[in-house]
Every structure is written in structure tokens, then in C-alpha cells.
């Protein structure tokens, strides 16, 4: 893999002309606002069971009622309200995982890329070892052993998804460590920590931002998969993956029950990826492994 | 090149040992394994019996080295639930997972290679943009959800394929399609960028100047060079796909190692879980080694390096 460091020129203007960026930013922005405002914009309590009105179809379908725009689930809970709270779970998982894995991966990558030699051998070894571990399987096994919880999902994903951060931080650090401004900082008497944090880190930050979008998309998908398999976010929390799992029994009779949360999940991940792709195009980097 | 491969081999062995250690540590995460095995309703006495029976009263280091020595010999102990050797269980389930992985990879290559080539030939046209959009959609698709949609659509509505279960070739089609989605985006992007690079190179200009046909240039000259990294990544992708098979096997109730692991997690059958983690990791390590070897063999420039 290769990453070239190119400073952005007229970045903001070029971004706004990129359709992918506009669409992606809109999707992620709207989801974020909806997630934050969840308690104020949900029409119903997402946990309120109403056994009389179970599996009511969305209002735009036959037999739908205007009372429940996206219908109700198998326990009569309002689907739209659950979907909105589900956005919260996805966004928190995505952001928290990226922060955790970003700190681990960036630290390792910068150390390996900057010092080289033995340090780099160790970092490369850790990356290789991490890549050989099957993420979903290990995450499921840990959840099975310790009991699944919201925090555990964040911790496990954060501890497992740092590899791409490390790879990119390492290769970009290698490229800039011998550049003039880094040498100048040395000559000016900066400490090692200061060079790493104030010269190296800010200059690889844009590349790390691209990785962050890719990892966020992955974390959201993985959380949904874990919750779908019953070892992620525990019920009755309305994780989109869990909503699909709970609706699975009814999908052959009323397919919309899995379409609603599935489309939400797909659109959010697509939005995050569009954002990342636009950033990558703008930076002219190639992060494909 | 030999030196490079030898170095890779040593790293691979070290990684394998690390994974061995980690898969041991994984099952000791809960603190007291005996309590986990015994279940929530067990008495103090039950826990003590289990601790004796499984040798969990020995010092941790003794347990670790015992597990290490046995695991290296392919002995993963006995399943708590199935009353069978773990090695036998995995041996009987692995062919299903491997077949599924290969079917997925085959579908991915059949889709990704032509699309990647077309996108490269028509770079920056609407064809190219459409192909890249397909890659993005594939990347964003939740595999378990796609599986369910196909079950309803192809299985129930069109009645083309069996909805789920383990059986003949027709049972591999839907899971294979779902699995291929995870590999298509990266294979397609790599084919495209490799072809773009190859098509702008000097030897292609020479081939054009010689008056060779367009198809011959594309397939014989450009693709042969673009294919080198694609072949290597395909091997690595297969490793990732096998790791991801746990989700798809659970969705389609295919009784491969992924399904076995999922079942065993639910039953606190730790020797099985531990062994599946290890086997899938070892297969991945072997495949990345194979990828490096393929790279070296296929690319004459690397042979002398």
C-alpha cells in the first residue's frame, strides 16, 4: 500500500462540488441530529409495548395507520421511535469505536513510522497478528464469556479495529519524518514528544480522518451483525441489528419488518463511506490495501 | 527473494504462536472458567467437580503449556457438549466453510474482474462512475441483512433456491452471493487501479504501435500485469471471508465451522470456540503467506529482489 502526502488546495470549495460528499455529509449530518434529538422528536416511547397493535404496517402501505408512520414491531412498539433511538446506538458505537481504535492505532503507527528499526518491527508484528484474528468470532466469544453489553461492544470493537489506523499512521509518518519542518523543529530544540504531537500528528491528521470514516462504517456494520447474532447490544435496546433479528421470524409474511431497519443501516453506512471516499479523492490518497 | 520469504515465514510462525496464546487467554477472560462451564444454576460442589475434571485446578502456566503442546500436535481436547474430539468436529465442518469461501471468492472474481477492467478502459466515464458506485454499495451492505432479503426474494417469492440449511450445491448459491459482497469492492478497485496503471505504461504503447488488436492488448498485456496484486489480495480476501463466515453460516443455518463456533459460544463450549478461532487464524496466516509467495512467483521484478 502506498500513501502520498499531498496538501489540500481550495479544499472546502472542491468538497462542496463533489456530489458524493454532499450526499454523504447530509446522510451523516441528519442521522447525527436525529440521534442527538431522539428524546424530543420520537412520537412514542420506543420501549412501550402495545400488544393490541402488533405488526401494524407503515402508514404508506395497505392497512397502515397514520398513527405509526413506519408501523409497529412484533410487540406493538412504534417502529419509527425505535429506529430513531437505534440511530443513537449506531452513532455512539461508531464514534466511540473510532476514538478508541484511533488512539491505539495512531500511537502504534507513529511510533513505528518515526523510530523505525526494532520499534517498527514490533509495530508491524502487532499489525500482522491483529489482522490474523477473526474479528466477529472473537467479539462474539468475548461477549459470550463476559455477557453482552453496550460498553463491551464498544470496547471489543475499539480494541480490534485499530489496524488500518496503525498502517496509515505508520506509512505517512515515514514519509514526513525527514521533511524540513520536522528537522527544523528538532534544531529549534523541541522535545521528542513535542515533535511527535505538534509536527507529525497534525500533518497526518487528514489521512487519519479518511481511515476514521472507513472504520466508523465498519464498526456500525459489525455492531449490527453482533447484535443480530444476539451477542451485541442486548434487548430491549433498539439496535438496528437487533431489530432485524427480532423481525426475522415475521419476514416471510411481512417483509417490510426487516426492510425498515435494514435500509436505515445501509443508508447510514453508505453515507459514512461516501464521506470517506470524497475525502480520499480530495487528498489524492490511495488507502486500499 | 528466498531471504524475504524466509523472513515472512518466521514472522508467520511467531504470529501463529501469538494467536495460540491469545486464544488460550480468550477463554480465561471470564476469571473462573469452571463457574462459566457449570452454568448459573450450579452448586459450589458442581463447580469443584468440573474444576477437577477439566484440570482447571492446576496452575495457569501448566494449563497454558499443556494446551500449547497439545494444540501444536492438532489436539484441541474434547468438546464439553458434543462428546467428541474437537479436532474431529472441526475436521467434519471445515469442508463446508472452505467450499462456501471458495464459492464466494469465485463469484466475487467473476463480478469484480470484468467490471474493474471496463471501469479502467472507460476511466472517468459514466460507466466508471457506475462501477465505483457498485463498489460503494457492496461496501455498505450489511451481509446478514442481504442474506435475509435473498431468502425472502429468491427462496420464497421466486422459489429458485433452498431458503436455508446444509446440503447440495444449490445450498451454497445464496450464501456464496452474500459472502462475495464483502470481497467485490476491494477486488474491483484494485483491478481498476491496476489496469489504469498498466494501460498508461510504455509496453502497452509499444503493443499498440505493433498494431495488436484491442482485446489482445487488454487481456494479454495489460491484465496480466494488473492481475498480480489482484491474485495476492484474492488469497487474503479468502481469509477474511472465512473469518466472516460465522455470520453467514448462522443466517443460512449452514453447519460449517462458523456455525459450530456460534453454537458453541451459546453453550459455553470453550474448547471448540478456542479451536475455531485458532484454525481460522492459522488459515488466514497461511493464505497471506501464499499471497506473498504468489506475488513473488508472478512478478518477475520481485524474483531477483
Amino acid at each position: 500500500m502506498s500513501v502520498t502526502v499531498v496538501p489540500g488546495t481550495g479544499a472546502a470549495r472542491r468538497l462542496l462540488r463533489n456530489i458524493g460528499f454532499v450526499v454523504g455529509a447530509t446522510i451523516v449530518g441528519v442521522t447525527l441530529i436525529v440521534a442527538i434529538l431522539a428524546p424530543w422528536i420520537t412520537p412514542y416511547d420506543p420501549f412501550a409495548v402495545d400488544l393490541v397493535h402488533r405488526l401494524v404496517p407503515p402508514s404508506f402501505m395497505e392497512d397502515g395507520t397514520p398513527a405509526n408512520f413506519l408501523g409497529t414491531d412484533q410487540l406493538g412498539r412504534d417502529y419509527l421511535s425505535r429506529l430513531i433511538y437505534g440511530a443513537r446506538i449506531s452513532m455512539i458505537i461508531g464514534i466511540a469505536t473510532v476514538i478508541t481504535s484511533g488512539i491505539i492505532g495512531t500511537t502504534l503507527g507513529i511510533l513505528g513510522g518515526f523510530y523505525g528499526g526494532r520499534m517498527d518491527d514490533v509495530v508491524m508484528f502487532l499489525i500482522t497478528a491483529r489482522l490474523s484474528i477473526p474479528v466477529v468470532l472473537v467479539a462474539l466469544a468475548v461477549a459470550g464469556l463476559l455477557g453482552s453489553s453496550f460498553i463491551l461492544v464498544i470496547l471489543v470493537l475499539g480494541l480490534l479495529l485499530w489496524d488500518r489506523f496503525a498502517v496509515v499512521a505508520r506509512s505517512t509518518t515515514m514519509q514526513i519524518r525527514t521533511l524540513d519542518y520536522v528537522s527544523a523543529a528538532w534544531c529549534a530544540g523541541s522535545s521528542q514528544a513535542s515533535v511527535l504531537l505538534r509536527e507529525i500528528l497534525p500533518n497526518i491528521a487528514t489521512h487519519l480522518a479518511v481511515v476514521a470514516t472507513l472504520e466508523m462504517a465498519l464498526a456500525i456494520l459489525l455492531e449490527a451483525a453482533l447484535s443480530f447474532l444476539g451477542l451485541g447490544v442486548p434487548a430491549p435496546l433498539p439496535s438496528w441489528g437487533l431489530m432485524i433479528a427480532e423481525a426475522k421470524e415475521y419476514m416471510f409474511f411481512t417483509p417490510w419488518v426487516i426492510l425498515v431497519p435494514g435500509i436505515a443501516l445501509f443508508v447510514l453506512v453508505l453515507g459514512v463511506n461516501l464521506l470517506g471516499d470524497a475525502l480520499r479523492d480530495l487528498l489524492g490518497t490511495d488507502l486500499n490495501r | 527473494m528466498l531471504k524475504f520469504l524466509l523472513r515472512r515465514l518466521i514472522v508467520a510462525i511467531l504470529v501463529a504462536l501469538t494467536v495460540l496464546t491469545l486464544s488460550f487467554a480468550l477463554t480465561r477472560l471470564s476469571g473462573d472458567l469452571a463457574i462459566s462451564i457449570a452454568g448459573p444454576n450450579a452448586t459450589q460442589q458442581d463447580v469443584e467437580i468440573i474444576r477437577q475434571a477439566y484440570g482447571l485446578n492446576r496452575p495457569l502456566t501448566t494449563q497454558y503449556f499443556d494446551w500449547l503442546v497439545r494444540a501444536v500436535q492438532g489436539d484441541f481436547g474434547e468438546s464439553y457438549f458434543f462428546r467428541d474430539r474437537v479436532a474431529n468436529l472441526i475436521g467434519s465442518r471445515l469442508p463446508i466453510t472452505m467450499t462456501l469461501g471458495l464459492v464466494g471468492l469465485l463469484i466475487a472474481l467473476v463480478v469484480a474482474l470484468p467490471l474493474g477492467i471496463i471501469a479502467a478502459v472507460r476511466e472517468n466515464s459514466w460507466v466508471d462512475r457506475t462501477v465505483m458506485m457498485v463498489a460503494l454499495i457492496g461496501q455498505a451492505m450489511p451481509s446478514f441483512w442481504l442474506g435475509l432479503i435473498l431468502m425472502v426474494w429468491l427462496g420464497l417469492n421466486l422459489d429458485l433456491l433452498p431458503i436455508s440449511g446444509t446440503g447440495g450445491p444449490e445450498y451454497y448459491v445464496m450464501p456464496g452471493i452474500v459472502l462475495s459482497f464483502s470481497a467485490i469492492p476491494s477486488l474491483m478497485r484494485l483491478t481498476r487501479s491496476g489496469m489504469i496503471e498498466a494501460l498508461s505504461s510504455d509496453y502497452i504503447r509499444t503493443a499498440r504501435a505493433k498494431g495488436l488488436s484491442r482485446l489482445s492488448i487488454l487481456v494479454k498485456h495489460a491484465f496480466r500485469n494488473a492481475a498480480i496484486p489482484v491474485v495476492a489480495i484474492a488469497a487474503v480476501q479468502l481469509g477474511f471471508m472465512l473469518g466472516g463466515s460465522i455470520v453467514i453460516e448462522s443466517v443460512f443455518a449452514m453447519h460449517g465451522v462458523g456455525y459450530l463456533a456460534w453454537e458453541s459460544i451459546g453453550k459455553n463450549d470453550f474448547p471448540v470456540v478456542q479451536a475455531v478461532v485458532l484454525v481460522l487464524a492459522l488459515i488466514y496466516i497461511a493464505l497471506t503467506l501464499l499471497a506473498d509467495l504468489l506475488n513473488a512467483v508472478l512478478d518477475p521484478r520481485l524474483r531477483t529482489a
Side-chain angles (χ1 to χ4, degrees):
Chain A
M1 75 157 289
S2 68
V3 179
T4 42
V5 181
V6 183
T9 45
R13 213 177 326 138
R14 276 167 63 202
L15 265 185
L16 285 176
R17 254 190 252 138
N18 184 324
I19 300 168
F21 177 81
V22 175
V23 175
T26 310
I27 293 170
V28 177
V30 168
T31 313
L32 193 63
I33 292 168
V34 163
I36 293 169
L37 297 181
W40 295 282
I41 56 173
T42 42
Y44 298 92
D45 175 355
F47 304 106
V49 173
D50 179 2
L51 295 176
V52 181
H53 300 104
R54 282 183 293 179
L55 293 170
V56 175
S59 59
F60 44 85
M61 283 174 66
E62 214 179 317
D63 296 332
T65 63
N68 303 94
F69 179 64
L70 290 178
T72 62
D73 72 359
Q74 67 286 346
L75 294 177
R77 296 173 293 197
D78 182 53
Y79 235 38
L80 178 62
S81 304
R82 289 184 70 75
L83 205 67
I84 291 173
Y85 271 88
R88 244 185 185 196
I89 291 174
S90 286
M91 290 308 270
I92 294 175
I93 297 266
I95 293 168
T97 304
V98 163
I99 292 173
T100 321
S101 59
I103 291 173
I104 299 172
T106 308
T107 310
L108 286 174
I110 289 183
L111 288 177
F114 192 77
Y115 292 107
R118 276 285 149 77
M119 180 74 95
D120 192 34
D121 286 344
V122 172
V123 169
M124 277 311 284
F125 180 78
L126 288 176
I127 295 172
T128 318
R130 154 53 205 96
L131 282 173
S132 66
I133 296 170
V135 175
V136 182
L137 186 49
V138 168
L140 286 171
V142 172
L145 271 162
L146 302 180
S148 56
S149 73
F150 189 60
I151 298 293
L152 189 75
V153 174
I154 293 174
L155 272 177
V156 170
L157 291 181
L159 290 174
L160 284 173
L161 298 183
W162 50 264
D163 52 284
R164 218 171 339 195
F165 277 107
V167 168
V168 172
R170 177 179 167 272
S171 61
T172 45
T173 303
M174 276 182 167
Q175 279 175 40
I176 64 170
R177 70 173 169 192
T178 50
L179 294 186
D180 288 345
Y181 60 84
V182 180
S183 313
W186 279 124
C187 294
S190 302
S191 66
Q192 286 199 13
S194 157
V195 171
L196 290 182
L197 288 174
R198 296 170 70 177
E199 306 297 330
I200 302 280
L201 191 59
N203 283 293
I204 63 169
T206 41
H207 297 271
L208 296 177
V210 178
V211 179
T213 59
L214 292 171
E215 292 305 320
M216 181 169 168
L218 190 60
I220 292 172
L221 278 180
L222 282 175
E223 179 276 317
L226 295 179
S227 301
F228 174 78
L229 291 176
L231 287 164
V233 174
L237 287 176
S239 151
W240 291 345
L242 193 59
M243 287 171 74
I244 296 173
E246 289 169 346
K248 201 177 70 172
E249 269 176 70
Y250 309 93
M251 70 180 185
F252 291 117
F253 317 105
T254 51
W256 62 265
V257 289
I258 60 162
L259 283 177
V260 171
I263 289 172
L265 182 60
F266 171 69
V267 169
L268 175 59
V269 175
L270 187 67
V272 178
N273 278 329
L274 279 171
L275 211 62
D277 256 36
L279 277 176
R280 171 165 47 191
D281 287 349
L282 183 84
L283 292 165
T285 54
D286 178 16
L287 298 175
N288 279 327
R289 272 183 306 200
Chain B
M1 187 184 82
L2 260 179
K3 207 177 148 193
F4 162 74
L5 286 179
L6 195 69
R7 198 181 138 87
R8 281 291 293 112
L9 190 66
I10 292 170
V11 172
I13 292 169
L14 283 176
V15 170
L17 280 173
T18 312
V19 174
L20 262 166
T21 311
L22 282 177
S23 54
F24 174 83
L26 182 67
T27 54
R28 301 309 194 265
L29 264 180
S30 58
D32 197 335
L33 192 58
I35 294 176
S36 306
I37 298 166
N41 300 324
T43 61
Q44 188 63 39
Q45 234 171 348
D46 296 337
V47 174
E48 208 47 57
I49 292 168
I50 284 172
R51 192 168 286 144
Q52 294 283 342
Y54 294 121
L56 294 170
N57 48 352
R58 297 170 300 163
L60 207 58
T61 44
T62 317
Q63 290 181 47
Y64 168 65
F65 282 109
D66 188 46
W67 143 253
L68 191 71
V69 170
R70 284 165 186 268
V72 169
Q73 296 166 339
D75 177 5
F76 302 117
E78 194 153 322
S79 158
Y80 298 158
F81 181 79
F82 288 102
R83 308 246 161 263
D84 195 358
R85 310 295 301 166
V86 175
N88 292 346
L89 280 173
I90 291 181
S92 65
R93 307 286 188 100
L94 200 55
I96 295 173
T97 304
M98 291 300 273
T99 313
L100 178 59
L102 287 170
V103 170
L105 184 64
L106 189 72
I107 297 173
L109 287 171
V110 167
V111 174
L113 295 186
L115 285 181
I117 294 174
I118 294 170
V121 173
R122 301 246 177 278
E123 197 192 343
N124 289 327
S125 69
W126 65 269
V127 182
D128 187 17
R129 272 191 283 274
T130 311
V131 169
M132 295 312 278
M133 200 59 213
V134 171
L136 267 174
I137 287 172
Q139 236 175 317
M141 189 68 79
S143 60
F144 61 94
W145 183 62
L146 178 66
L148 297 179
I149 302 281
L150 290 185
M151 281 160 91
V152 174
W153 183 49
L154 295 177
L156 183 77
N157 293 355
L158 299 180
D159 199 16
L160 281 176
L161 293 160
I163 288 172
S164 68
T166 322
E170 69 273 19
Y171 284 89
Y172 287 90
V173 180
M174 269 201 278
I177 293 173
V178 176
L179 203 53
S180 74
F181 264 67
S182 62
I184 287 175
S186 64
L187 288 175
M188 201 151 69
R189 282 173 202 259
L190 205 65
T191 310
R192 176 179 172 273
S193 60
M195 283 298 283
I196 288 174
E197 203 188 316
L199 285 173
S200 63
S201 64
D202 289 342
Y203 57 81
I204 294 299
R205 212 172 42 185
T206 313
R208 285 221 176 95
K210 281 200 299 190
L212 294 179
S213 78
R214 229 179 128 69
L215 194 70
S216 157
I217 291 175
L218 265 187
V219 176
K220 272 195 182 158
H221 297 261
F223 182 64
R224 202 179 265 185
N225 282 283
I228 294 167
V230 175
V231 169
I233 287 292
V236 178
Q237 281 291 340
L238 181 61
F240 279 129
M241 284 159 100
L242 293 176
S245 65
I246 184 167
V247 179
I248 283 140
E249 284 178 10
S250 317
V251 170
F252 287 99
M254 293 192 83
H255 289 214
V257 284
Y259 191 86
L260 176 70
W262 185 55
E263 257 184 323
S264 304
I265 289 169
K267 291 172 181 143
N268 282 341
D269 198 346
F270 300 113
V272 179
V273 179
Q274 188 168 275
V276 174
V277 171
L278 187 64
V279 167
L280 289 180
L282 290 180
I283 292 176
Y284 175 83
I285 293 169
L287 284 170
T288 47
L289 207 59
L290 180 73
D292 283 341
L293 195 70
L294 281 173
N295 246 338
V297 172
L298 289 175
D299 194 338
R301 282 165 297 187
L302 275 179
R303 239 175 268 162
T304 48

